Amino acid sequence: MNILLDPTYQRMLLDGLGMTLLISVIVIIVSNLLALPLAIYMQRPDGAFRRLIIAYSFFARAAPVLALLFALYYGLPRLGIYLEPVPSALIGLIFASTAYNLEFLRSGFESVPQGQLDAARALGLKPFAIYWKVMIPQAYRLAAPSLFSNAIQMVKGSSLASLVAIDELTAASTTIIAETYKAIEVLLVVSVFYLLIAAVIIGLQYLYESRQRLSRR
């Protein structure tokens, strides 16, 4: 029997796809929102929290995401703290993704030519205006390939949520394979779903970069 023609399996895959999209969108948006102020703060050479942010970035990038999810979902209950599966997955993925986006944006800010900052100050722009009109647009332009690539990695990383009892796309495929023993067919369908999501993100990247090129002409 073709699993694609079975309404039950269709519903399981679509529900799993919906959960994957929900987790991915939240992680991508929140991690970018959190990374920006941290990257801006890192431009202060005498910032009181620089070492703390550096330590966070090191730990979040060095620690396996799976270990973070297990610590949140299975470890915290031993301390009397109980999190539902979805919040556990979101916190772990956002914790890791923010660190990567922070480093990408930090590198983007540091790549802005000093002459442009000097010119902006000479024109009398306030610090907020310098960041908003000069530094942030260029930092995002320079960091765009890395940020979009990290977004794709987070979509694929959302599959780890299946290990903390979340019925996302990978978990749905595992259940269907266990019931039908049609591993190749199921994995092909799931791969197509992930490929389509990645294609949308890559398409958005090319659209963003093409608009940036047109704006610089």
Side-chain angles (χ1 to χ4, degrees):
M1 180 181 61
N2 191 334
I3 60 172
L4 295 180
L5 300 180
D6 190 307
T8 301
Y9 295 141
Q10 290 177 357
R11 175 53 55 188
M12 290 176 64
L13 288 172
L14 291 177
D15 288 345
L17 175 62
M19 180 57 69
T20 293
L21 290 174
L22 176 64
I23 292 174
S24 300
V25 169
I26 294 176
V27 170
I28 292 169
I29 293 175
V30 175
S31 64
N32 274 280
L33 292 176
L34 293 177
L36 179 58
L38 293 176
I40 291 175
Y41 186 87
M42 288 296 289
Q43 304 312 301
R44 301 174 56 181
D46 57 346
F49 299 101
R50 273 182 60 87
R51 291 185 178 180
L52 182 62
I53 296 174
I54 292 173
Y56 153 69
S57 177
F58 170 80
F59 176 78
R61 289 182 295 149
V65 177
L66 181 58
L68 294 175
L69 297 184
F70 278 177
L72 289 167
Y73 188 66
Y74 297 109
L76 287 182
R78 296 192 176 188
L79 302 177
I81 303 173
Y82 296 89
L83 294 177
E84 294 295 323
V86 173
S88 298
L90 289 176
I91 292 172
L93 292 172
I94 290 171
F95 185 84
S97 181
T98 299
Y100 284 99
N101 289 340
L102 157 64
E103 294 300 328
F104 299 146
L105 288 173
R106 182 184 62 81
S107 177
F109 280 124
E110 294 177 356
S111 299
V112 177
Q114 183 63 37
Q116 296 190 20
L117 303 181
D118 295 336
R121 295 189 184 100
L123 292 173
L125 293 180
K126 301 297 182 181
F128 177 81
I130 292 176
Y131 271 101
W132 185 253
K133 296 182 177 181
V134 178
M135 295 192 68
I136 291 178
Q138 294 192 73
Y140 270 102
R141 177 175 59 82
L142 294 168
S146 299
L147 292 173
F148 280 102
S149 296
N150 189 47
I152 295 174
Q153 290 298 321
M154 285 301 103
V155 172
K156 294 186 290 185
S158 67
S159 62
L160 295 174
S162 63
L163 300 176
V164 290
I166 295 179
D167 292 328
E168 45 72 68
L169 191 54
T170 300
S173 67
T174 302
T175 301
I176 296 173
I177 291 173
E179 294 181 359
T180 64
Y181 299 100
K182 295 181 179 294
I184 294 178
E185 295 91 330
V186 175
L187 292 177
L188 282 175
V189 173
V190 172
S191 297
V192 169
F193 281 141
Y194 280 114
L195 181 63
L196 290 175
I197 297 173
V200 171
I201 296 175
I202 293 173
L204 292 175
Q205 175 187 344
Y206 288 153
L207 178 61
Y208 172 80
E209 291 176 344
S210 64
R211 289 188 174 182
Q212 288 295 311
R213 287 193 294 270
L214 289 175
S215 67
R216 299 205 309 271
R217 290 181 180 176

